Amino acid sequence: MERPQKMPKVAKVKNKAPAEVQITAEQLLREAKERDLEILPPPPKQKISDPAELADYQQRKRKVFEDNLRKNRMVVSHWIKYAQWEESQKEIQRARSIWERALDNDHRNITIWLKYAEMEMKNKQVNHARNLWDRAVTIMPRVNQFWYKYTYMEEMLDNVAGARQVFERWMEWQPEEQAWQTYVNFELRYKEIDRAREIYERFVYVHPDVKNWIKFARFEESHGFIHGARRVFERAVEFFGDEYIDERLFIAFARFEEGQKEHDRARVIYKYALDHLSKDRTQELYKAYTIHEKKYGDREGIEDVIVSKRKFQYEQEVAINPQNYDAWFDYLRLIEGEGDVDLIRETYERAISNVPPANEKNYWRRYIYLWINYALYEELEAEDLERTRQIYKTCLELIPHKKFTFSKIWLMYAQFEIRCKELQKARKTLGMAIGMCPRDKLFRGYIELEIQLREFDRCRLLYEKFLEFGPENCVTWMKFAELENLLGDTDRARAIFELAVQQPRLDMPELLWKAYIDFEVSQGEAQLARQLYERLLERTHHVKVWMSYAKFELTQYDADLADEDPEINIKLSRRVYERANDTLRTAGDKESRVLLLEAWRDFERESGDNHAFKKVMEKMPRRVKKRQKIVSEHGVEEGWEEVFDYIFPEDEMARPNLKLLAAAKMWKKQKESVNTESDENDVSKSMDAEK
């Protein structure tokens, strides 16, 4: 039995660390290149010494070429190499035969035709080459390379007529623009200007592009035919019309006229272009016009260009965003400067047609000024009163008064009717405004109008309506009372103030009370003013009220009391300060108390009473710095902060009594705990004795 063959043991690599010097694939390839390992030695040179050997060599080569063609007839390089080899052997007939076989195999191959014709021309076989080019352009007339080579060959042979005939055949196929330009250049080389012009005439209709018309005009200009160039530009403008015209044509036309020193013609061309082209197609035109006017125009011309350019910019802005009312304002201001009434009205109508998308007042604030400016223009500049009235009415009908309104429009309309001496229409308008959408500004404007007309009974009625609409408005109450006071009806004014202070809700009660007190003081009713202060202090203990009361007592002069005691005002004022200090101390408002004491201190310093001044100084607090916890809204402690506090001497004097009271409570608590422990001990002893 044969033993199983054992597998050889694989030697273990003891050191698996990378070698110090690493060899890369690039290094291996470079070393192979340096050693020339893959370069084969060149074949030995073969010298042919007799015709038999040459024939044998040619037979072997032809066999190789024919074998390659049999293997793959579609490889063009095989045919080209075969034909070129035969050409190198001076076998032109054989080479021509091979080229013909190649064309039979693939007659659409451009390379074969080019190489074939090149061989014929190289060997000065002109008729063969001409015949070959004819065949090529007949089979593939859209291959421009054949035509270029064909015309070049005829021109090199000085066959100008033949070259022209080839060009004409080519142009019948309406080739690309470069072919026409080549034909023109050909004629220009032989100074055939009229023929070149005829070619351009056909060219601009076959390829009706602006740049081709410009080339035609520049051709005429370069050869001194100025009128011809101008006529070409004019024909181009007529040919394209307003729909397909391009700004490049006008710019070239204007620069041509500028070059001929015809600046007025150039200016007319620019203006014609700006009038007939759409605004989005005239950017470069504006730039060229501006440069022209800066060079050759006067001040007015330059300003016209700048205005036109700005118009174009504004038109673009409002086209992109019709609700860009700032752009409309600038545009309208520019249009109004020109003074064209119809254009201004048309622009205003375009502007006001862009109603804000939402019925929210913020969107309407800028828009409404378009209507205002429109109405003011019609009234002041155009002086068309009926159109102005219609603008105001249309604007008021457009505004959604149930959601919001603009008091300014109502008031301006009413003032316009008054200027037109239509008082009843103005009153009717304001009455309708108050009925539809009552606003404070409307009431005030209506009342001011009636005051100017001295219709005070109407003013009273309007104030009553105003107060029914907004009874919490303190300014209205004050203005109403002021009106009655001006009319000399003091009792009505006082009654109005009384009604006002009795209102349950007021927006600025401090102003109302101050106005009421000032009214009584102006009437010389000091006692009534004092009563008002007392009534006000029943409602609020604000420090400014106390300070105002003290100043009132100090400045108020009573002849009877002054005779009895010359310092009665100082005493009354000091009494107010004392009452205020006691009240604020009870309320615990330290900041207000500090303000009061400072005012009291200044008062005593001015009065000159040193004893009273010392008493006030003893009441002045000390300012100390304290730390307190910062607690968030959720009750979480977030740290500490430093605050300033005031310690008043009067509060410190009362503090020992508080400490004594706290000590007494502590002693009582300790005593109760001691009595409880003694009672428990007695009970436990009695229980032990019973056991």
Side-chain angles (χ1 to χ4, degrees):
M1 186 176 180
E2 296 181 358
R3 294 181 179 178
Q5 189 176 2
K6 292 183 179 181
M7 297 295 292
K9 291 184 179 181
V10 179
K12 293 183 178 180
V13 180
K14 295 182 179 180
N15 186 7
K16 295 184 179 181
E20 294 181 359
V21 179
Q22 296 291 321
I23 301 175
T24 62
E26 182 183 358
Q27 186 175 354
L28 293 173
L29 293 174
R30 188 171 60 250
E31 289 178 356
K33 178 69 174 174
E34 291 174 354
R35 296 175 186 176
D36 296 333
L37 298 178
E38 297 181 0
I39 297 177
L40 298 176
K45 290 184 179 181
Q46 186 177 6
K47 292 183 179 181
I48 299 174
S49 57
D50 56 0
E53 191 174 356
L54 175 61
D56 182 60
Y57 164 72
Q58 290 177 342
Q59 184 180 3
R60 282 187 284 108
K61 289 291 289 184
R62 289 189 180 110
K63 185 176 185 304
V64 171
F65 281 121
E66 292 292 342
D67 290 342
N68 290 334
L69 292 177
R70 276 195 299 273
K71 290 177 184 177
N72 194 348
R73 298 180 62 84
M74 303 309 296
V75 179
V76 179
S77 60
H78 293 340
W79 295 101
I80 295 173
K81 290 178 181 178
Y82 191 6
Q84 289 177 346
W85 181 82
E86 290 290 359
E87 181 186 0
S88 66
Q89 299 297 315
K90 307 300 181 183
E91 296 284 349
I92 303 301
Q93 291 296 333
R94 284 181 173 274
R96 191 177 289 126
S97 174
I98 293 166
W99 286 119
E100 291 294 339
R101 288 169 59 196
L103 289 176
D104 290 339
N105 182 60
D106 185 7
H107 70 281
R108 307 292 297 180
N109 194 298
I110 299 172
T111 306
I112 295 175
W113 287 100
L114 293 175
K115 295 287 185 181
Y116 189 6
E118 184 181 349
M119 181 200 74
E120 297 290 5
M121 290 189 294
K122 190 186 301 181
N123 290 281
K124 300 181 181 181
Q125 301 291 324
V126 176
N127 290 328
H128 280 283
R130 187 176 287 126
N131 183 32
L132 190 59
W133 287 126
D134 279 332
R135 291 167 58 196
V137 297
T138 304
I139 295 173
M140 289 181 286
R142 293 296 179 188
V143 179
N144 294 330
Q145 200 169 1
F146 293 161
W147 295 102
Y148 285 122
K149 294 280 188 180
Y150 194 4
T151 55
Y152 180 73
M153 183 191 76
E154 295 291 355
E155 188 176 2
M156 290 295 103
L157 295 172
D158 292 332
N159 186 12
V160 177
R164 185 175 291 117
Q165 186 178 3
V166 174
F167 270 118
E168 287 296 331
R169 287 176 59 193
W170 190 8
M171 295 305 113
E172 290 177 1
W173 291 96
Q174 296 183 357
E176 60 185 13
E177 298 173 5
Q178 185 59 41
W180 291 89
Q181 195 63 47
T182 304
Y183 192 10
V184 170
N185 294 336
F186 164 77
E187 295 292 358
L188 290 178
R189 282 196 293 272
Y190 297 98
K191 305 295 187 292
E192 297 286 348
I193 305 299
D194 294 333
R195 289 180 180 274
R197 184 180 293 110
E198 292 175 0
I199 296 167
Y200 264 120
E201 291 285 353
R202 293 153 59 193
F203 174 37
V204 294
Y205 285 102
V206 173
H207 294 283
D209 196 357
V210 171
K211 63 180 181 180
N212 296 330
W213 283 93
I214 295 173
K215 285 181 182 178
F216 188 11
R218 287 177 179 168
F219 160 78
E220 295 284 1
E221 182 185 4
S222 63
H223 291 87
F225 299 102
I226 304 302
H227 294 293
R230 185 176 291 120
R231 191 163 53 252
V232 169
F233 277 119
E234 292 171 355
R235 286 172 55 198
V237 173
E238 294 175 2
F239 175 78
F240 287 104
D242 293 341
E243 186 176 357
Y244 300 102
I245 199 68
D246 194 338
E247 62 176 348
R248 293 177 296 167
L249 179 62
F250 287 111
I251 293 172
F253 194 3
R255 286 177 178 169
F256 162 75
E257 296 292 356
E258 181 181 334
Q260 303 303 319
K261 310 299 182 184
E262 295 285 351
H263 303 305
D264 293 334
R265 283 178 175 269
R267 189 174 293 110
V268 170
I269 292 167
Y270 279 124
K271 290 182 179 179
Y272 177 86
L274 293 174
D275 292 338
H276 288 77
L277 285 177
S278 60
K279 301 299 181 183
D280 57 340
R281 296 160 56 194
T282 56
Q283 294 182 356
E284 296 297 327
L285 192 66
Y286 272 116
K287 292 180 183 178
Y289 190 17
T290 306
I291 294 171
H292 174 268
E293 288 299 328
K294 286 180 179 179
K295 286 182 179 179
Y296 308 106
D298 53 2
R299 182 182 180 87
E300 293 181 359
I302 296 172
E303 288 180 355
D304 289 342
V305 175
I306 294 173
V307 167
S308 301
K309 191 172 183 179
R310 288 177 61 190
K311 277 186 187 177
F312 171 68
Q313 292 173 352
Y314 289 137
E315 283 287 350
Q316 281 187 321
E317 290 183 19
V318 298
I320 294 171
N321 182 12
Q323 273 77 34
N324 186 359
Y325 300 120
D326 291 330
W328 280 113
F329 289 135
D330 296 337
Y331 190 18
L332 287 165
R333 194 179 303 114
L334 187 66
I335 295 293
E336 287 181 15
E338 296 182 352
D340 190 346
V341 177
D342 295 333
L343 180 60
I344 294 169
R345 285 175 175 168
E346 180 188 353
T347 310
Y348 267 116
E349 292 293 337
R350 287 173 54 202
I352 61 179
S353 64
N354 298 301
V355 183
N359 288 336
E360 295 183 14
K361 195 167 185 177
N362 286 334
Y363 296 122
W364 285 65
R365 291 186 188 278
R366 300 291 291 164
Y367 170 71
I368 208 67
Y369 276 94
L370 290 173
W371 288 93
I372 292 173
N373 293 345
Y374 192 10
L376 292 176
Y377 169 77
E378 290 292 346
E379 181 185 1
L380 302 177
E381 300 294 335
E383 298 181 356
D384 191 340
L385 301 182
E386 190 58 37
R387 192 179 181 90
T388 306
R389 184 177 289 110
Q390 191 61 38
I391 290 169
Y392 277 120
K393 288 182 179 180
T394 308
C395 178
L396 291 172
E397 290 173 0
L398 184 65
I399 298 172
H401 298 290
K402 292 184 179 179
K403 294 186 177 181
F404 60 85
T405 190
F406 290 94
S407 305
K408 189 179 186 69
I409 292 290
W410 292 102
L411 295 173
M412 289 184 68
Y413 183 27
Q415 291 165 2
F416 163 74
E417 293 293 358
I418 290 172
R419 288 193 295 272
C420 295
K421 299 180 181 180
E422 296 286 348
L423 181 59
Q424 294 302 321
K425 286 186 178 180
R427 284 174 172 164
K428 184 179 179 181
T429 301
L430 290 174
M432 185 170 62
I434 290 173
M436 291 176 60
C437 44
R439 296 289 187 276
D440 292 354
K441 191 174 181 180
L442 282 173
F443 278 108
R444 293 196 189 99
Y446 198 179
I447 291 168
E448 184 180 355
L449 172 64
E450 296 295 351
I451 289 175
Q452 291 174 356
L453 297 171
R454 300 297 186 267
E455 294 286 348
F456 298 114
D457 292 334
R458 287 181 175 273
C459 292
R460 288 191 176 104
L461 290 173
L462 287 171
Y463 269 121
E464 290 174 4
K465 294 289 185 182
F466 196 0
L467 292 172
E468 289 177 6
F469 167 68
E472 73 281 352
N473 195 329
C474 294
V475 176
T476 308
W477 289 102
M478 292 158 56
K479 292 288 185 182
F480 193 9
E482 183 182 353
L483 174 66
E484 296 293 350
N485 189 26
L486 289 173
L487 295 175
D489 200 339
T490 308
D491 294 334
R492 284 180 66 91
R494 186 175 287 112
I496 290 168
F497 273 122
E498 281 296 331
L499 282 173
V501 297
Q502 291 173 10
Q503 296 299 317
R505 187 168 64 89
L506 295 170
D507 55 359
M508 292 183 292
E510 64 278 2
L511 292 180
L512 181 64
W513 280 97
K514 185 178 184 304
Y516 193 4
I517 293 169
D518 292 343
F519 166 74
E520 295 294 357
V521 171
S522 65
Q523 298 298 322
E525 298 290 344
Q527 190 61 33
L528 292 177
R530 193 173 285 110
Q531 291 176 6
L532 286 175
Y533 269 117
E534 294 295 338
R535 287 169 60 188
L536 180 57
L537 288 172
E538 291 175 1
R539 300 191 179 199
T540 180
H541 295 294
H542 199 277
V543 64
K544 290 188 177 181
V545 178
W546 287 106
M547 293 164 63
S548 176
Y549 190 10
K551 289 180 181 179
F552 164 76
E553 293 291 3
L554 181 63
T555 56
Q556 193 61 38
Y557 179 75
D558 193 339
D560 297 334
L561 296 176
D563 293 339
E564 296 177 3
D565 188 356
E567 296 184 355
I568 186 65
N569 289 347
I570 295 175
K571 291 179 180 179
L572 290 174
S573 181
R574 185 178 292 122
R575 177 58 185 159
V576 172
Y577 277 120
E578 291 173 353
R579 287 174 57 197
N581 186 38
D582 295 339
T583 304
L584 294 176
R585 182 175 61 185
T586 305
D589 189 353
K590 294 184 178 182
E591 298 286 343
S592 299
R593 195 173 168 192
V594 170
L595 291 175
L596 179 74
L597 288 173
E598 289 176 352
W600 192 1
R601 179 192 61 194
D602 297 338
F603 160 73
E604 296 294 353
R605 184 186 292 120
E606 293 175 0
S607 65
D609 192 341
N610 294 328
H611 180 67
F613 180 73
K614 288 181 180 178
K615 280 187 176 181
V616 176
M617 292 302 296
E618 290 174 356
K619 297 177 183 291
M620 294 300 291
R622 290 185 295 107
R623 187 182 181 191
V624 296
K625 187 185 293 186
K626 290 184 177 180
R627 295 180 65 202
Q628 67 179 16
K629 290 183 179 180
I630 302 174
V631 182
S632 65
E633 297 178 355
H634 304 289
V636 180
E637 294 183 3
E638 296 182 350
W640 295 81
E641 66 176 351
E642 291 185 351
V643 295
F644 290 99
D645 194 10
Y646 295 97
I647 298 176
F648 294 87
E650 294 175 336
D651 297 342
E652 286 186 336
M653 291 174 61
R655 189 170 296 171
N657 297 331
L658 295 174
K659 289 183 178 180
L660 181 61
L661 182 60
K665 288 182 178 180
M666 194 70 181
W667 174 80
K668 185 177 180 181
K669 188 175 182 180
Q670 289 178 354
K671 187 176 180 182
E672 288 177 356
S673 62
V674 170
N675 292 336
T676 304
E677 290 178 359
S678 62
D679 292 341
E680 289 178 355
N681 293 333
D682 293 341
V683 170
S684 61
K685 287 180 181 179
S686 62
M687 290 177 68
D688 292 338
E690 289 177 359
K691 288 180 180 179

